Amino acid sequence: MNFEAIKAAAEGYREDMCKFLRAMIAIPSESCEEEGVVKCIEAEMKKLNFDKVEIDGLGNVIGWMGDGEKIIAIDSHIDTVGIGNLANWEHDPYEGYETDEIIYGRGGSDQEGGMASAVYGAKIMKDLDLIPKGYKIMIVGSVQEEDCDGMCWQYIYNVDKIVPEFVISTEPTDGGIYRGHRGRMEIRVDVKGVSCHGSAPERGDNAIYKMADILQEVRALNENDDADETEIKGLVKMLNPKYNPEHWEDARFLGRGTCTTSQIFYTSPSRCAVADSCAISIDRRMTAGETWDSCLQEIRDLPAVKKYGDDVKVSMYMYDRPAWTGEVYETECFFPTWINKESAAHVQALIDAHKGLWGDKRIGAPSAMDKRNRPLTDKWTFSTNCVSIQGRYGIPCVGFGPGAESQAHAPNEITWKQDLVTCAALYAAVPGLYKEENKTADVTEFRQGLTNNNIR
């Protein structure tokens, strides 16, 4: 493989990728509102002479290169979070600016930069005849990931009936190759109370006060240690062989699970009445060895939850927001943990590509390198569409994408132009380095069990 030719081609497309990324950033594209950016990507793919471009029923935009039966997919979610408090931004998040080194704006790292590199990576494959015989390349601009990660790929798998050989996620990886991440689930706790006039609160049963007790214990679950004398043992316990004998090593690779209260709701007849209900949302990140039902049971076993008995309900959220096309794909808010083996053929294809192109250490623009002094092969902190691709369906996944995790969901988001070039080159090289003969029946090091909800 001519790595120098690939690098030269990627460098030659630097300005085109930057222009394409800035065009995407300029189009607000929060979850369920991605139509504008989908049309922008569709136009770019057609301009670059993709063999086929289509938009599926959910609104995912898919471009194809090659005509083989086997599929190597590269996925980028093209929805973004909102901008939050505009006062926290130093420039317009949808116009921003660029320098010789960076591009500023919402979606640069998370993760329309990945889309720019993927589209041009496929273009380089076609330019240099790098698509192996029998294969075709699938470039996916997926929707609604920020709302419900992986649901877009549930649709691709179950409705579009597409099953790739493996998938590269272009979520930001700080110059690393990522082979797993923690899962997550969205938990709701509802507490019942009885309202009364605020002038005599003793006549009622204040749901907010009950929830206050529960909130402190949810916080303790996240922050406590796992000592024998600790009543509410912290989630750090899953790093301890005593509490996680089968999977503590994988848990240490991924990092401990976490939980935090992300939302709070209440009902009350008025501001001068006792609240008759209170509810919270809990963002629960799951490490190896934790299950969906163990996470629910941990909340149900909190002393305050037990204290209030039948007045408390602990459940998992469902997701059913319509896509920008109007299509609804209802699913549970459970996103399984996964790790692939570093020795897996698809992971090694990326490692070999990186070594051939750039060496065995992470690279990046000068201003990015202070956070890239880490192993080349690692894992994400957050979760990605791979919760469905690998976690739910067992389709091998691996991650390499432009930008930084620390930029995700943050004001003044940036990405680095060098990363766009680096990633496009690597994507172009990977198909020719994938050794199918080295593929094993099980590439999975850890994969979390699914729920009993019969969700597709």
Side-chain angles (χ1 to χ4, degrees):
M1 179 170 287
N2 190 336
F3 292 113
E4 293 304 315
I6 294 172
K7 288 196 283 188
E11 185 61 44
Y13 283 127
R14 176 188 289 258
E15 292 307 314
D16 295 281
M17 286 189 281
C18 292
K19 182 179 178 181
F20 179 33
L21 175 54
R22 292 206 69 194
M24 288 187 283
I25 288 172
I27 304 169
S29 54
E30 294 181 37
S31 297
C32 308
E33 300 173 4
E34 303 98 338
E35 181 177 7
V37 79
V38 164
K39 298 297 176 62
C40 173
I41 294 163
E42 178 188 36
E44 191 80 6
M45 288 176 166
K46 288 180 176 179
K47 183 184 81 173
L48 296 178
N49 295 316
F50 272 63
D51 294 331
K52 181 182 178 182
V53 183
E54 58 187 331
I55 299 170
D56 71 9
L58 194 70
N60 300 303
V61 56
I62 303 172
W64 299 91
M65 287 288 202
D67 56 7
E69 292 298 314
K70 296 177 181 178
I71 298 167
I72 296 174
I74 307 177
D75 175 65
S76 312
H77 76 79
I78 53 175
D79 60 321
T80 72
V81 295
I83 59 174
N85 184 355
L86 187 57
N88 289 332
W89 290 79
E90 296 172 3
H91 303 276
D92 185 335
Y94 297 119
E95 291 295 334
Y97 67 93
E98 62 179 312
T99 68
D100 289 342
E101 194 175 73
I102 64 105
I103 293 173
Y104 176 104
R106 175 57 84 216
S109 276
D110 190 20
Q111 57 111 171
E112 290 165 343
M115 188 80 249
S117 291
V119 166
Y120 278 85
K123 171 63 172 166
I124 295 167
M125 293 181 211
K126 188 170 187 177
D127 291 346
L128 301 183
D129 193 24
L130 296 172
I131 303 174
K133 185 178 180 180
Y135 282 86
K136 57 187 171 186
I137 306 302
M138 176 188 184
I139 306 298
V140 184
S142 50
V143 298
Q144 291 178 264
E145 189 272 353
E146 296 291 5
D147 250 15
C148 188
D149 22 336
M151 184 273 287
C152 47
W153 271 89
Q154 290 178 250
Y155 192 94
I156 290 168
Y157 182 90
N158 290 302
V159 181
D160 297 340
K161 304 295 184 183
I162 297 171
V163 184
E165 182 86 355
F166 68 90
V167 180
I168 302 172
S169 168
T170 69
E171 287 269 17
T173 61
D174 283 296
I177 295 167
Y178 287 179
R179 61 185 181 93
H181 59 66
R182 296 176 302 167
R184 73 180 188 93
M185 62 189 297
E186 296 175 2
I187 299 172
R188 182 178 172 105
V189 181
D190 287 270
V191 175
K192 293 188 293 185
V194 178
S195 64
C196 70
H197 200 285
S199 64
E202 68 278 2
R203 297 173 184 166
D205 185 13
N206 197 316
I208 291 176
Y209 288 167
K210 292 179 178 177
M211 186 62 80
D213 293 341
I214 295 170
L215 283 167
Q216 291 303 313
E217 293 181 358
V218 170
R219 182 176 181 179
L221 186 63
N222 186 67
E223 297 180 1
N224 281 3
D225 60 29
D226 62 352
D228 289 344
E229 64 273 15
T230 302
E231 180 183 11
I232 299 174
K233 290 180 173 52
L235 299 180
V236 69
K237 66 180 181 287
M238 298 305 285
L239 307 183
N240 187 337
K242 176 180 177 180
Y243 296 104
N244 191 13
E246 294 183 22
H247 301 295
W248 64 272
E249 291 178 295
D250 289 331
R252 289 186 181 182
F253 169 71
L254 292 174
R256 48 158 292 189
T258 59
C259 63
T260 190
T261 302
S262 55
Q263 295 176 318
I264 189 164
F265 319 94
Y266 73 94
T267 61
S268 176
S270 76
R271 287 199 299 271
C272 54
V274 165
D276 54 12
S277 79
C278 190
I280 58 170
S281 303
I282 298 174
D283 180 284
R284 178 65 159 89
R285 304 288 158 153
M286 303 174 292
T287 194
E290 296 176 318
T291 67
W292 68 278
D293 49 348
S294 75
C295 293
L296 291 174
Q297 193 60 44
E298 276 176 334
I299 304 299
R300 292 175 180 139
D301 285 342
L302 292 174
V305 173
K306 288 185 171 182
K307 173 183 174 182
Y308 296 120
D310 292 341
D311 287 345
V312 184
K313 177 184 177 183
V314 179
S315 61
M316 181 165 58
Y317 277 95
M318 298 291 291
Y319 180 83
D320 61 356
R321 281 189 71 192
W324 69 263
T325 60
E327 185 88 353
V328 174
Y329 190 99
E330 184 178 9
T331 192
E332 60 196 359
C333 293
F334 171 71
F335 312 95
T337 310
W338 64 280
I339 311 171
N340 274 331
K341 297 173 183 175
E342 189 168 356
S343 61
H346 68 293
V347 178
Q348 284 300 310
L350 269 72
I351 294 172
D352 291 345
H354 196 284
K355 288 181 177 178
L357 289 163
W358 314 109
D360 59 2
K361 297 186 184 305
R362 300 188 189 209
I363 69 166
S367 64
M369 291 307 296
D370 63 325
K371 295 183 179 178
R372 298 190 177 185
N373 187 24
R374 290 182 278 154
L376 178 63
T377 308
D378 208 338
K379 81 287 184 183
W380 281 286
T381 300
F382 56 38
S383 65
T384 72
N385 279 333
C386 299
V387 294
S388 285
I389 302 166
Q390 169 71 36
R392 190 173 286 275
Y393 301 123
I395 301 168
C397 272
V398 62
F400 188 77
E405 280 194 76
S406 62
Q407 295 298 312
H409 304 188
N412 304 303
E413 182 178 354
I414 62 169
T415 199
W416 290 267
K417 292 180 177 182
Q418 178 58 49
D419 284 2
L420 302 179
V421 174
T422 299
C423 291
L426 184 134
Y427 301 151
V430 163
L433 295 172
Y434 175 61
K435 296 180 175 63
E436 187 180 349
E437 65 272 17
N438 292 342
K439 183 175 74 170
T440 57
D442 186 11
V443 302
T444 303
E445 182 170 316
F446 177 83
R447 182 176 165 211
Q448 190 174 29
L450 304 182
T451 70
N452 59 5
N453 292 331
N454 197 30
I455 297 292
R456 293 175 298 169

